[in-house]
Amino acid sequence: MALNVEIIKPDIGAIVHAGRPEILDKGDAQEYLDLLERHGALIFPGLDLSDEEQLAFTDKLGSRINFTKTVAGGSAGNDVYNITLDKKLNAEPEYVYGTFFWHLDGVTSPNPPPKASILSCRHTAPKGGQTEFCSTYSAYEALPEDEQEELKGLRVVHSVVAAVREVVKEEDIDPVKAAFRQEHPLVWTHKSGRKSLLIGYTADYVVGMSKPAGRALLARLLEWTAQPRFTYRHQWREGDLAVWDNTGALHRVIPYDEASGRLMRRTSLAGFEEVA
């Protein structure tokens, strides 16, 4: 089936104009996955999917995973996660505050990071709450060759502590979560042959470098990756659905008020590729 696709930027983002029948039809999963590989982030305006329909779409694309292991409530159970600062719906708002900063989902887990995240908008915030995406593929590919060469072989430790460093003191983090840390290459060489930067606020330090020098390098790479050329900001409307390549794009949310009522529902597509 030929989809009606509107490119947002050459390096990141496309709008897919499709209705429920096209979304829930099981026959065209590869077409969506190909679009995801090509554009990094896909926006499906005004779909207004239920939890069950969102799960069905997730399952259509591949195996689902709940890497947060947090119960969202509602009829869909714990495979749909509430992204909200409403403490009645999410008992760990500090981790939602952590989404104000650029990150890749699941990078501190011993399992492969989720291949894709699927996010639907249930309630918008009056101010803020937009989600930004940036392509770590395009950012790496646009680096000068000598800088690419300098990054070869460098490894970075990612941790939950680093992810919420701007939000909460280390001693206040759940000790189990505080122990989550993984060492990864700074440049991820994918099975496809493409390479991407593996950075974000989860990145704590570069192995073998002093912390000031390593963190300065990570900060420069993040600034480079987040420049407008590689970045798209989505202004949500209730019912919108976004799907992004969690292995090749960072994301963050523009800050919004705790009492805003903003509510998003997230499902995740299991990763099938180890970081290498």
Side-chain angles (χ1 to χ4, degrees):
M1 179 185 68
L3 294 169
N4 181 3
V5 179
E6 176 186 348
I7 296 174
I8 298 171
K9 287 185 174 181
D11 287 294
I12 184 77
I15 298 172
V16 182
H17 299 280
R20 268 196 179 89
E22 293 89 346
I23 289 296
L24 300 177
D25 185 314
K26 295 183 179 180
D28 55 354
Q30 190 58 50
E31 190 168 1
Y32 289 106
L33 293 172
D34 290 345
L35 284 174
L36 194 61
E37 172 75 17
R38 194 175 309 129
H39 300 292
L42 306 177
I43 305 297
F44 299 80
L47 278 180
D48 200 23
L49 297 183
S50 67
D51 285 351
E52 289 73 17
E53 288 171 328
Q54 184 170 336
L55 285 169
F57 181 58
T58 305
D59 292 342
K60 163 182 172 170
L61 298 179
S63 300
R64 88 172 77 142
I65 188 173
N66 180 0
F67 71 91
T68 56
K69 304 297 184 184
T70 302
V71 175
S75 59
N78 66 357
D79 283 340
V80 182
Y81 180 60
N82 281 322
I83 307 292
T84 181
L85 291 174
D86 185 339
K87 295 177 182 177
K88 297 190 296 294
L89 298 175
N90 191 321
E92 299 178 315
E94 64 269 24
Y95 298 103
V96 180
Y97 277 118
T99 66
F100 288 3
F101 305 91
W102 290 112
H103 65 286
L104 179 153
D105 289 338
V107 74
T108 62
S109 166
N111 301 314
K115 168 58 183 172
S117 295
I118 298 98
L119 194 66
S120 62
C121 179
R122 303 308 173 88
H123 297 290
T124 59
K127 181 179 179 181
Q130 302 94 333
T131 299
E132 292 186 316
F133 309 95
C134 62
S135 174
T136 54
Y137 279 124
S138 294
Y140 174 79
E141 290 162 0
L143 284 171
E145 288 187 13
D146 60 333
E147 292 189 35
Q148 292 181 2
E149 188 65 26
E150 289 173 3
L151 302 181
K152 187 181 296 184
L154 293 182
R155 298 185 65 83
V156 177
V157 172
H158 293 254
S159 70
V160 167
V161 172
V164 296
R165 182 181 288 130
E166 307 295 336
V167 178
V168 65
K169 295 179 181 177
E170 182 173 352
E171 56 266 27
D172 294 330
I173 302 173
D174 180 324
V176 175
K177 291 186 173 65
F180 285 7
R181 63 182 60 239
Q182 293 293 320
E183 183 180 310
H184 295 302
L186 178 52
V187 178
W188 184 346
T189 302
H190 298 260
K191 290 181 179 179
S192 66
R194 297 183 72 191
K195 295 182 178 182
S196 65
L197 294 171
L198 190 43
I199 53 176
Y201 271 76
T202 58
D204 195 354
Y205 60 90
V206 179
V207 177
M209 295 181 68
S210 69
K211 283 192 175 178
R215 286 177 174 171
L217 171 62
L218 294 170
R220 290 197 303 275
L221 290 173
L222 189 55
E223 289 171 359
W224 168 261
T225 304
Q227 63 178 285
R229 171 181 169 184
F230 309 127
T231 305
Y232 166 63
R233 177 184 292 189
H234 182 61
Q235 179 69 53
W236 291 100
R237 293 186 299 175
E238 292 180 8
D240 286 355
L241 182 81
V243 184
W244 65 94
D245 181 354
N246 184 62
T247 68
L250 298 176
H251 64 286
R252 70 177 177 182
V253 64
I254 302 302
Y256 56 95
D257 189 82
E258 183 178 308
S260 68
R262 184 183 189 267
L263 175 62
M264 316 294 283
R265 298 284 227 188
R266 187 193 66 207
T267 52
S268 301
L269 191 65
F272 54 84
E273 184 178 351
E274 298 285 349
V275 179

